[in-house]
Amino acid sequence: MNTLVSKPWVLARIFEPDVTIVDCRFILGQPTAGRDAYEESHIPGAIYLDLEADLSDPAAEHGGRHPLPDVERLAALLGKLGMNNDTRIIAYDDQGGSNASRLWWLLTYIGHENVYVMDEGFSAWTGAKYPVSKDQAIRVPSTYTAKVKTEWVVGVETIRDVISGADDSSNVVLIDSREPRRYAGLEEPIDKKTGHIPSALNKFWKGVHDEHGRWKSAAKLQEHFADMPKDRELIVYCGSGVTACPNILALREAGYDNVKLYAGSWSDWISYSENPVATGKE
């Protein structure tokens, strides 16, 4: 799929007129840290999109900690920032690709075809002595039209059907992207309940990286997901629908086509008191 691109690939394209680079740096619990870092230094020409303010809707009783943004609001924002349906969009962060993958997922979900995630992140960019800037580019507004791929996302009712054995749930695999200790119910630093959705298998999202923190090759990703069947539907979740996205990107790089996001994820699941939870290993 060639969604993952290298620093040199990005460097060669930063001034091409149909390219928009998006800085997605964000630190959970430090809501201004990403924008502060962007304003201090970023890839030349890059704009900033905030995980919570731009790439999520406000949290409510249900829907998880990072609900998907309203599609029309997102499309209007992209247009205001000078992007249209033909723009080549390159996302980066400094969090292992988790936030950049969220943007990749959202853009693909609304029908965008030319979206890429830069490998490694901003620290590696500066470590390689590549150019940086404090300037914020003037953007000429454009028009963006969303064409939503509804099949890319599922809600809580679908997950309930899966674990109850309803419909064709035997052809579905749930994948939990959180740290193994959170999955097993041994600790939970963020959400109100410990454990995981019954029947879910654990694939910690950072497993898509090699020992140097770079994304694994397609061949290595195929090895990483070798225990995941390609003839079944895969539904991926995490704590709030963000770190599930690098797993989804990696699965698609490895040749899996039927991969969906449970957008509300664990924080949505436990907002319903009647939903069962499991602990330990499946």
Side-chain angles (χ1 to χ4, degrees), residues 26-30 51-52 59 64-66 177-179 181-183 185-195 204-205 238-243 264-268 270-271:
F26 185 88
I27 300 175
L28 193 65
Q30 301 179 43
L51 171 64
E52 294 185 340
R65 287 183 279 108
H66 294 114
S177 300
R178 297 172 301 157
E179 297 92 331
R181 290 183 61 82
R182 291 181 68 192
Y183 165 85
L186 298 175
E187 64 180 41
E188 181 46 68
I190 302 173
D191 293 308
K192 295 179 179 179
K193 290 185 181 180
T194 60
F204 185 29
W205 72 272
C238 57
S240 66
V242 177
T243 56
S265 287
W266 179 248
S267 52
D268 175 58
I270 62 172
S271 71

Side-chain angles (χ1 to χ4, degrees), residues 36 48 51 57 146 156 180 242-243 262:
D36 290 345
Y48 182 75
L51 171 64
D57 266 0
V156 66
V242 177
T243 56
Y262 172 26

Side-chain angles (χ1 to χ4, degrees), residues 20-36:
T20 294
I21 300 175
V22 183
D23 188 317
C24 299
R25 284 177 285 175
F26 185 88
I27 300 175
L28 193 65
Q30 301 179 43
T32 67
R35 183 173 290 278
D36 290 345

